[in-house]
Amino acid sequence: MPFDAVCLQAVLQELRPKLLGLRIDKVQQPARDQVILLLRGNQRLLLNAGANAPRIQLTELTRDNPAEPPMFCMLLRKHLVGARVADITQPPLERLVRMELDITDDFGQPGRRTLVLEAMGRRSNLILLDGDGRVIDCLRRVDAEMSASRQVLPGLYYEPPASVGRLPVTEETEEGFREKLDAANPERQADAFLLDAYFGISPLVARELAFRAAGETDRRLCQMGPAERERLWQELEQLITRIREGQFTPVCLRQDGRAADFAYLPIGQYGAAMECVPCNSFSRMLDEFYEAREQQERVRQRGADLIRTATTARDRLRRKLALQEKDYAATQDRDHLRICGDLITSNFYRMERGQSKLTCENYYDPQCAPITIQLDPLLTPQQNAAKYYKRYTKAKTAERYLREQMAIARRDLEYLESILEEIAEAETEQDFIDIRHELRDAGYLRSQGKGKKELKRVSRPREFRTTSGFRVLVGRNNRQNDKLTKEADHRDLWFHTQKIHGSHTILCTGGAPVDDETLAEAAKIAAWYSQARSSGNVPVDYTAVKNVKKPAGARPGMVLYTTCQTLFVTPEEELIKRLQSK
């Protein structure tokens, strides 16, 4: 469901009593389209003006900030740090929020700033206004070339977006509804009719109203009898009453245990295909829904060049390995070359210079079957024999060389697969910086001179606490995997998915006995941070850290272990969130 105007109204109804009067202590801009206001009382207000997920909410998710804050963030800090939230308003059924902020200017005089969030899909924007309603600056400047009807530029008076022209759903009456229904195209579906006629209804809610009235979401108007048409109005009237009275219930629609959609009223159209779960608050519901999507967006934006580099190198290696395997298969037939050389040598007395082939008995064959050997007519018989012996020796040498090169190629291919898995799991900007350094050290990226400033932070492993109280540490990248395993107590337990790329996982025991539940939880954590995250019955090997060795010259993250035991587990997202250390 998109973050529509009614959902925005429900969120603001929840936020307003929590935010009014609070002071803004910090302003952050972790991503191009995201601004976070840190308010007194440890409240984190997220304003997202991205095209895919525009919204306003309180968030509990921590987001990493760039080393150098963007210019818009610096501007917001200048004007808003120290301001107090005076009011939060929304024009009726508009996807627009106005935050009125009381400030004190550089001369100690009271003033007013307004922060406007336009949550309108690809036209979303975040705009800062002065006390007179002029634009100080905005996240996306809109000039005359981009829009002839409405410009958003510093110095201009702010004009709200034009109305769409449809009737707001809250203003509808029974008489007006019946007139629109009678005049509508009878071939239109009921949900499409509602979307065409009213402003403020999302496709999900329109389908739900049609489902409640007719028992299915794709019922056409011509197929609806008088009773179903009456129920459609009753359902619409109940929705109007719910919106006017602010009766909203945050619900999350889950499919296979994962958040697939959300709404502000119970949804029944999916039946048993989705579970409709009430949530404690709209903000927590939005955090849950957008967490995985933001992760994918971060990887797409910040890791695009890394993915391209690793994927290109991996594909090149695959092609190289395929050619090497083809050449290696050809060397396995080298004994035929030696036999040809021997047969030519033993038949010198029968040969003359200029022959193009030799037919003789193959005394290596138990049946002494005749064999035809191709010759170079420009060479003498002795030179032809030497040519076959040379090809045999070359194939014998190539077999040993190709075997070594194929082993190196397979090792590098496995390493690049692990890099791609690291990128997919990267969460913070520091994670991407670490991966970039790793690729640079491995020779897949060129070393760069002094240029863009990078974060200078110590990357810490992910940390969890099992139900019984044991610490579990999980590496974020290959170099951290090596460090984690090297620095762990030799009595700790080391976990890793069997023959599947994943992070090194350390269960810190200090030699203390560990129960089966703790082992299972640690194995599930290891399975979650691997390529088998979406699989069931994942094999996870575990052994004491002292049994894990790193071969000399091995790539980062590559280790060997001998003694181990195996657990078969199914990764559980809920367990991971519950055990994660805050």
Side-chain angles (χ1 to χ4, degrees):
M1 170 180 173
F3 192 76
D4 64 5
V6 181
C7 192
L8 178 58
Q9 178 182 334
V11 172
L12 293 184
Q13 181 177 298
E14 178 182 278
L15 293 182
R16 195 173 289 109
K18 296 181 180 180
L19 301 183
L20 294 183
L22 293 186
R23 181 179 183 272
I24 298 176
D25 290 333
K26 293 182 181 180
V27 179
Q28 298 174 344
Q29 190 176 350
R32 180 179 180 272
D33 301 318
Q34 293 180 355
V35 169
I36 293 180
L37 305 180
L38 277 69
L39 306 165
R40 284 289 170 90
N42 200 28
Q43 304 274 23
R44 301 169 59 86
L45 182 65
L46 169 67
L47 297 103
N48 191 317
N52 297 325
R55 65 194 187 278
I56 180 173
Q57 64 166 109
L58 288 174
T59 181
E60 297 178 0
L61 303 177
T62 56
R63 297 167 173 83
D64 204 41
N65 293 303
E68 296 181 355
M71 292 300 296
F72 187 65
C73 179
M74 297 293 288
L75 178 79
L76 293 180
R77 288 178 180 178
K78 173 185 176 182
H79 287 273
L80 301 186
V81 170
R84 292 187 181 275
V85 181
D87 198 7
I88 303 178
T89 59
Q90 174 197 13
L93 290 187
E94 293 285 351
R95 291 178 293 171
L96 188 146
V97 181
R98 293 178 63 98
M99 285 187 64
E100 304 295 340
L101 304 164
D102 290 333
I103 67 161
T104 302
D105 63 21
D106 295 339
F107 301 99
Q109 298 299 316
R112 175 62 63 96
R113 293 289 182 269
T114 304
L115 194 59
V116 180
L117 173 64
E118 296 178 352
M120 300 177 178
R122 60 185 180 87
R123 294 176 296 170
S124 298
N125 210 342
L126 190 60
I127 307 163
L128 180 64
L129 310 179
D130 63 14
D132 298 325
R134 291 180 182 270
V135 177
I136 297 176
D137 208 344
C138 51
L139 203 59
R140 294 183 180 87
R141 297 183 178 183
V142 181
D143 57 23
E145 292 184 1
M146 301 172 66
S147 174
S149 58
R150 178 175 178 259
Q151 289 83 49
V152 183
L153 295 169
L156 299 181
Y157 281 105
Y158 173 73
E159 294 291 339
S163 175
V164 295
R166 287 175 290 167
L167 180 70
V169 67
T170 52
E171 298 179 10
E172 184 57 293
T173 62
E174 182 176 358
E175 181 182 356
F177 170 79
R178 296 192 186 282
E179 289 179 359
K180 291 181 178 65
L181 190 60
D182 292 338
N185 183 352
E187 294 299 321
R188 292 289 283 171
Q189 292 184 179
D191 61 324
F193 158 72
L194 294 173
L195 292 173
D196 291 341
Y198 303 111
F199 175 63
I201 298 180
S202 68
L204 175 67
V205 174
R207 290 196 305 270
E208 182 64 19
L209 295 179
F211 173 78
R212 293 181 181 185
E216 56 186 30
T217 59
D218 57 354
R219 181 67 63 91
R220 298 181 184 276
L221 295 179
C222 61
Q223 298 171 330
M224 298 179 69
E228 291 178 345
R229 290 178 174 234
E230 178 63 27
R231 281 199 299 271
L232 184 61
W233 163 247
Q234 292 174 359
E235 293 295 338
L236 182 62
E237 186 179 33
Q238 290 179 14
L239 176 66
I240 293 171
T241 302
R242 180 188 291 268
I243 296 172
R244 287 174 176 172
E245 297 179 358
Q247 300 174 1
F248 303 114
T249 303
V251 294
C252 185
L253 299 176
R254 296 175 182 272
Q255 188 174 32
D256 299 329
R258 296 188 177 184
D261 213 334
F262 63 87
Y264 51 81
L265 75 168
I267 301 295
Q269 61 188 273
Y270 297 108
M274 283 196 189
E275 182 184 8
C276 186
V277 182
C279 300
N280 295 331
S281 69
F282 279 98
S283 290
R284 289 187 178 179
M285 177 190 73
L286 293 171
D287 263 353
E288 178 183 359
F289 181 79
Y290 285 110
E291 181 178 9
R293 287 164 176 78
E294 282 193 3
Q295 166 69 10
Q296 294 171 357
E297 184 67 14
R298 263 195 308 273
V299 171
R300 188 187 69 81
Q301 289 182 352
R302 300 182 182 177
D305 61 326
L306 301 179
I307 292 175
R308 184 168 55 253
T309 297
T311 302
T312 301
R314 181 198 63 185
D315 294 344
R316 186 185 297 118
L317 263 178
R318 284 177 175 173
R319 292 192 296 269
K320 179 180 177 182
L321 184 59
L323 291 174
Q324 289 175 339
E325 289 174 344
K326 182 179 178 181
D327 292 343
Y328 183 80
T331 64
Q332 302 307 296
D333 194 32
R334 64 181 181 276
D335 283 343
H336 174 73
L337 300 174
R338 178 179 57 79
I339 291 172
C340 289
D342 290 347
L343 293 177
I344 293 173
T345 302
S346 63
N347 286 277
F348 279 162
Y349 69 96
R350 300 170 54 184
M351 298 174 62
E352 295 181 359
R353 185 165 185 164
Q355 284 186 233
S356 61
K357 61 183 178 179
L358 168 66
T359 301
C360 61
E361 294 76 17
N362 182 6
Y363 52 77
Y364 286 98
D365 189 329
Q367 307 300 325
C368 287
I371 184 175
T372 300
I373 302 171
Q374 299 298 322
L375 303 174
D376 186 343
L378 299 179
L379 301 179
T380 65
Q382 292 82 359
Q383 289 173 331
N384 271 293
K387 181 179 179 181
Y388 274 103
Y389 285 133
K390 184 176 181 180
R391 289 173 59 190
Y392 168 76
T393 303
K394 184 177 180 181
K396 187 176 180 180
T397 304
E399 179 189 31
R400 183 179 66 255
Y401 174 79
L402 285 171
R403 191 185 298 117
E404 295 172 355
Q405 292 302 308
M406 286 161 55
I408 294 173
R410 291 191 181 100
R411 182 199 68 184
D412 290 347
L413 191 59
E414 185 177 0
Y415 172 71
L416 289 169
E417 292 285 359
S418 71
I419 287 288
L420 289 169
E421 179 64 21
E422 285 179 21
I423 298 172
E425 293 180 2
E427 298 170 349
T428 66
E429 185 169 348
Q430 188 61 41
D431 290 344
F432 291 104
I433 291 174
D434 290 343
I435 295 171
R436 182 171 281 105
H437 285 320
E438 184 178 338
L439 283 172
R440 198 170 292 156
D441 292 344
Y444 294 107
L445 277 177
R446 293 182 180 179
S447 298
Q448 297 178 347
K450 295 181 180 180
K452 186 177 179 180
K453 182 181 177 183
E454 290 186 339
L455 289 173
K456 302 295 183 181
R457 297 176 181 171
V458 177
S459 179
R460 298 183 180 277
R462 301 179 181 92
E463 185 170 340
F464 301 83
R465 185 74 63 171
T466 66
T467 304
S468 54
F470 287 93
R471 273 203 322 158
V472 178
L473 303 177
V474 181
R476 293 179 180 272
N477 51 67
N478 284 322
R479 293 200 296 186
Q480 195 176 86
N481 285 336
D482 283 347
K483 183 179 180 182
L484 197 62
T485 303
K486 181 179 179 181
E487 296 179 354
D489 189 304
H490 70 281
R491 297 168 296 178
D492 291 343
L493 295 180
W494 181 88
F495 290 74
H496 198 283
T497 45
Q498 186 182 95
K499 299 179 181 179
I500 301 172
H501 292 295
S503 298
H504 293 201
T505 303
I506 303 294
L507 175 61
C508 303
T509 67
V514 181
D515 58 274
D516 291 342
E517 182 184 5
T518 300
L519 291 175
E521 288 178 349
K524 288 179 180 180
I525 293 172
W528 179 261
Y529 289 101
S530 74
Q531 285 184 330
R533 172 178 291 191
S534 302
S535 306
N537 206 31
V538 180
V540 179
D541 292 339
Y542 71 95
T543 185
V545 169
K546 64 182 179 181
N547 296 326
V548 182
K549 308 296 180 185
K550 185 172 183 64
R555 291 284 194 185
M558 305 299 174
V559 295
L560 296 176
Y561 56 96
T562 51
T563 306
C564 73
Q565 293 176 273
T566 304
L567 290 173
F568 290 86
V569 297
T570 299
E572 301 174 13
E573 185 176 5
E574 291 299 323
L575 176 71
I576 300 301
K577 291 182 177 180
R578 178 167 61 84
L579 301 182
Q580 195 159 19
S581 299
K582 300 296 183 184

